[in-house]
Every structure is written in structure tokens, then in C-alpha cells.
Amino acid sequence: MSPLDLLDIDASLSEEERQIRAVVRQLVEDRVRPHVAGWYEDGQVPARELAREFGKLGLLGMHLTGYGCAGASAVAYGLACLELEAGDSGVRSLVSVQGSLAMYAIWRFGSEEQKQRWLPAMAAGEAIGCFGLTEPDHGSDPASMATRARRDGDDWILSGAKMWITNAPIADVGVIWARTDEGVRGFAVPMDTPGVTAREIRHKMSLRASLTGEIALDDVRLPADARLPEAIGLKAPLSCLTEARHGIVWGALGAARDCLEAALSYATTRTQFGRPLAGFQLTQAKLADMAVEWNKGLLLALHLGRLADAGKLRPEQVSVGKLNNVREALAIARECRTILGANGVSGEYPVMRHANNLESVLTYEGTSEIHQLVIGQRLTGLSAFA
């Protein structure tokens, strides 16, 4: 049992859940850890190669059913996200965007033809998807999106731009959200369609082991069957975000655990003033406080996962998990950095990389402020968004 499992939470997991976790952890140990520091430093990641390996293990869209998807439980998916982000947030983002955003949107709102066309290849990692909702001028306010889709005979013409889109530079299909005369609608857009341009965003200081892009849509002509027939209104993309946020609730704990394990190992082996750092009261206080918060976060994630598996998980409950767990994971990463001292900023240790990544996780899929307002609306019955 891990020394971080102060509350014996492991005993609450089924044998199957522990086995799935072990398989993903070993994959991360073998395929991610030896290379991720270099990927991060270089700002490059072999995303297609990783996607195929993840597909072989059934990690892509693993909580979906049919079409080559594994049909795993929400808790099993969460544990997989935790292990992936213990490797790197960018690696977990690859899986999360593929499965919980792009694949989920097609699985939930697409036609049978769209599902058959895209989902088996995406589940295998042979096709990469992205999710185009955020725009250059509209991040937290998707209701103000400027991307438009207009009818032209039986076709649709899309014009606009999307920004900060994970997987966009290598995507085969983009789930693009646009405003129409009938409201917000979603489209499955092959990324090689004339008029679609994806440009990689470089010089990031965070999520450097993740491919992020800007998508330009210049009068993109699509057939009528490109529209996701069941995606009607803004609730459709927001439901996809809720799906993805559940994975983040777990994933952030993976980054925090990796930081804690690094700090604990360092503190017990690094000697100052004639004794290990772990022997000092201030160091033990830091470790104790962080371990308590990590265990609380894991209990919260597990509770939300069980609710999801029972079909009872509500969006504001996911907001509680995302707000708390990402915020606490970032605090843990920063505190662990202090234990490592100057070595905390070295790429030889994972702590600063996780801290930098968590700055992005804090923002995407809803900023902390947005989740506070979601929770506030639930508490008061009053919307403070406008």
C-alpha cells in the first residue's frame, strides 16, 4: 500500500479497478516517464504513436460502449486519468480530448453513419479527434461564439476560428461548434476539408508535451450529413465539457501524487544540518498537510465516480470536484517545490513541470471562477454569469 493512502481508500476499489490502474501505471512507467522530460523541454510529443498504443489498451473512449470502445466504468476511467496525468497532464489531455470530448460528442449526438465512420478508428488511435468550442475572443463565454454556419442548398458553410484546441495540429476530425439561425449546432468536420487550417501554437510555458492549435474556418463547405443531428443548443457542448471535467477531477490527483512522491523521496534522502529533511518538523508538517488534501481529493473523486456509474452525477457536482482537486493539486505542486529547494526547478524532477501544467488545467474546461459561479448558482438559485 502506498504511504500516501492514509485512509486505506484502496480497499474501496474493486479488483478489476485496481487491475486497470496497474496496467495504465505500467504503461506510463514504460512509455511516458523515460521520455516526458525531453518532450516537455522540446515542446514535442509523439502523439499519434502514443494514441495507437493507448488504443491497443482500450484507453480511448474507454467509458463509452460499442464501436470498439471498452465500456469501462467511470471510476475505472478516472483511475486511468490519474495514472496518465501522473506521467504528464499533456498525455492525459490527449486521452481526455480524444475520448471525453471528440468521441463522446459523436457517440452521444452523432448519426449512426457518423459513429460507424469515426468511432472505431478513434478508439483504436488510428484517427485523432479534436473539439472546437473555445474561440480567440470567447473562452469562458461560449454563448457569444462568433463562428457561424449557414445553409447553402443542402450544404453548410462554416466560417470562424477556434483557439487553444488540443490535438488540432494532427487531428483527422474536428467536432466544431457554430452558431446557426436555429441556435448552436455541432459538426463533424474532416480536418482535410478545403478551407480548414490548423496552426500549432508554440512557445507555451505549460502543457508543452501536448499539441495545441488554432483552427481557421474559411467558408468551409460541408454536406448536410456533417451536422451532429442530436446536438441542439449550447447544452450539447456543455454536456461534453462535463464529461471531460470528470476525468480532470481524477487526473489532477495524478500530478499531485507524482509531486508528493518526489518530495517524500527527496526529503528522506537529502541531508541538511546533519539529518534528513524529512526529520524536520516544518517538512513533516508540509508533507502531512499535503497528504491530507490529496486523500480528501481522492475521496471526492471516488464519490463522484460512483455517482456517475449510478447515473446520478450532476454538472455542479463535477464543478465541485474540478474546483477543489485542481486547486489543491496546484497548491501541492508548489509546496513540494519548496521541499526540493533549487532542485525543484530542475527538469530532472517532475515537480515544476507538473506545477506549470496545472496552471493550464486550472484554466481549461472552465476556470476556477466559472466553477465557483456554477456552485454559487446552485447554492443561491441566482445566476451571476451575466
Side-chain angles (χ1 to χ4, degrees):
M1 186 178 72
S2 168
L4 296 180
D5 189 11
L6 299 174
L7 303 178
D8 198 17
I9 300 173
D10 233 36
S12 300
L13 303 177
S14 69
E15 181 60 31
E16 181 181 8
E17 289 164 347
R18 286 193 288 268
Q19 289 176 353
I20 290 173
R21 181 184 62 184
V23 169
V24 180
R25 184 178 296 184
Q26 190 60 53
L27 174 66
V28 171
E29 288 293 329
D30 294 341
R31 189 64 186 87
V32 177
R33 287 195 186 279
H35 313 289
V36 68
W39 296 341
Y40 186 91
E41 186 169 347
D42 296 338
Q44 297 290 331
V45 60
R48 282 198 173 275
E49 181 182 337
L50 287 175
R52 293 188 183 98
E53 294 188 37
F54 295 157
K56 290 177 183 178
L57 280 182
L59 296 180
L60 302 177
M62 64 180 287
H63 59 306
L64 306 179
T65 55
Y67 309 99
C69 300
S73 70
V75 170
Y77 172 62
L79 290 167
C81 286
L82 189 155
E83 295 301 330
L84 289 166
E85 192 150 349
D88 191 81
S89 297
V91 174
R92 196 269 306 151
S93 292
L94 169 65
V95 172
S96 180
V97 169
Q98 176 88 341
S100 291
L101 289 178
M103 290 180 68
Y104 176 77
I106 296 171
W107 181 85
R108 172 65 179 81
F109 301 113
S111 66
E112 184 60 29
E113 291 75 16
Q114 290 167 334
K115 295 174 186 178
Q116 293 289 352
R117 178 181 180 183
W118 294 113
L119 292 180
M122 295 174 79
E126 295 299 328
I128 303 297
C130 64
F131 187 84
L133 179 62
T134 300
E135 297 187 352
D137 296 321
H138 305 288
S140 295
D141 184 17
S144 298
M145 73 173 64
T147 299
R148 301 284 303 186
R150 59 179 175 84
R151 291 186 182 273
D152 184 36
D154 292 334
D155 293 346
W156 289 92
I157 307 295
L158 269 64
S159 299
K162 301 295 180 178
M163 190 71 171
W164 301 113
I165 309 302
T166 298
N167 296 346
I170 60 166
D172 300 288
V173 59
V175 175
I176 304 296
W177 301 92
R179 184 177 302 283
T180 74
D181 290 340
E182 295 85 30
V184 173
R185 297 291 186 267
F187 298 84
V189 181
M191 294 295 284
D192 60 358
T193 304
V196 178
T197 305
R199 179 185 65 84
E200 184 176 358
I201 297 172
R202 306 286 295 173
H203 310 298
K204 297 179 299 179
M205 304 304 291
S206 176
L207 286 182
R208 291 180 54 78
S210 176
L211 298 176
T212 311
E214 177 182 7
I215 299 174
L217 305 160
D218 184 12
D219 289 336
V220 178
R221 181 175 291 273
L222 299 170
D225 60 7
R227 187 174 72 84
L228 302 177
E230 302 300 321
I232 300 173
L234 194 58
K235 286 186 178 180
L238 294 182
S239 70
C240 298
L241 293 180
T242 297
E243 193 76 11
R245 287 164 179 165
H246 177 244
I248 294 173
V249 172
W250 291 84
L253 296 172
R257 189 195 71 196
D258 201 45
C259 291
L260 268 169
E261 289 177 344
L264 187 59
S265 174
Y266 188 87
T268 54
T269 56
R270 173 76 166 180
T271 299
Q272 291 289 284
F273 303 105
R275 62 197 301 191
L277 288 176
F280 291 93
Q281 291 183 358
L282 287 175
T283 304
Q284 290 196 7
K286 290 178 180 181
L287 292 170
D289 285 347
M290 290 188 290
V292 167
E293 292 303 323
W294 189 84
N295 276 266
K296 287 159 60 177
L298 187 56
L299 284 172
L300 173 56
L302 182 58
H303 177 64
L304 296 181
R306 298 295 187 215
L307 286 176
D309 283 326
K312 298 179 179 179
L313 184 62
R314 301 193 305 268
E316 71 272 11
Q317 293 172 325
V318 180
S319 287
V320 172
K322 206 265 185 182
L323 175 65
N324 180 82
N325 284 12
V326 179
R327 191 163 59 184
E328 293 305 322
L330 183 54
I332 287 171
R334 290 168 173 168
E335 191 77 290
C336 286
R337 209 291 302 162
T338 70
I339 292 177
L340 270 69
N343 283 324
V345 304
S346 169
E348 295 182 14
Y349 297 89
V351 176
M352 184 62 82
R353 173 169 52 83
H354 283 308
N356 286 352
N357 285 339
L358 286 167
E359 291 288 354
S360 289
V361 181
L362 192 71
T363 294
Y364 69 38
E365 310 288 349
T367 66
S368 292
E369 292 82 0
I370 291 297
H371 291 295
Q372 287 173 317
L373 295 183
V374 170
I375 297 166
Q377 184 172 358
R378 173 68 177 181
L379 292 172
T380 66
L382 300 172
S383 174
F385 287 97

